[in-house]
Amino acid sequence: MATITPTLTLTSNASSASSLPGPLSVALSLSASANLTVDRVVSEIKVLGTGTVLVLDGSELLAIDSDGGAPGSHGGFLYLKNATASDLDIYVAFAADGTTEVLGSNDDPHRSFTLKQNEFAFVPWDCTGDVVASGEGACSLEYFFFNRG
């Protein structure tokens, strides 16, 4: 078993600040971290186009950890980053197995979120369904999946 320690820090000036005003009437300083036990890592940089690409197959990952257990006892932690050198968006979905739809339309009910250039997400994922993505062109999606130990 190994340990990772993700830390999220959010800071901003008050909205009245003359330099880099923030969204609130007061300055913000928020930080959270946790020690997470993991036992393996899967990582890759996926090159995307405008079609939907399978990033991670939840069923495949669960087959490796198929020793039973309650919801939340499997899965892990997923880091995704738009590592595209140009200003192109990446559309990400936690979707049912076999989803092949393009995720770029404004009313697509499958899309979970959009990553703009250099944006990232870190979320727990129970490996239910799949993680799929599409881009506005030739995009690079970097991911790390840390399996819950």
Side-chain angles (χ1 to χ4, degrees):
M1 296 294 177
T3 301
I4 61 172
T5 306
T7 301
L8 174 66
T9 302
L10 299 174
T11 60
S12 71
N13 292 327
S15 58
S16 59
S18 59
S19 176
L20 297 173
L24 303 170
S25 62
V26 296
L28 174 67
S29 180
L30 171 73
S31 184
S33 67
N35 292 329
L36 306 174
T37 303
V38 298
D39 58 8
R40 62 187 162 77
V41 179
V42 178
S43 67
E44 184 178 0
I45 295 179
K46 284 272 192 187
V47 176
L48 309 175
T50 55
T52 301
V53 172
L54 177 66
V55 177
L56 285 165
D57 182 326
S59 300
E60 186 178 292
L61 291 169
L62 280 177
I64 297 168
D65 281 337
S66 60
D67 57 345
S73 62
H74 293 293
F77 309 96
L78 183 59
Y79 170 83
L80 299 160
K81 180 181 180 183
N82 182 342
T84 308
S86 56
D87 188 21
L88 297 173
D89 294 346
I90 294 176
Y91 310 113
V92 180
F94 296 104
D97 289 338
T99 296
T100 58
E101 296 184 30
V102 175
L103 307 171
S105 69
N106 279 335
D107 61 351
D108 191 319
H110 299 99
R111 189 177 66 245
S112 300
F113 55 89
T114 301
L115 292 173
K116 298 201 171 283
Q117 184 181 25
N118 295 319
E119 288 183 344
F120 61 90
F122 184 83
V123 296
W125 179 48
D126 286 348
C127 297
T128 54
D130 296 333
V131 177
V132 296
S134 65
E136 291 185 321
C139 297
S140 297
L141 177 66
E142 178 180 31
Y143 74 83
F144 289 84
F145 174 71
F146 300 92
N147 191 70
R148 194 177 264 125

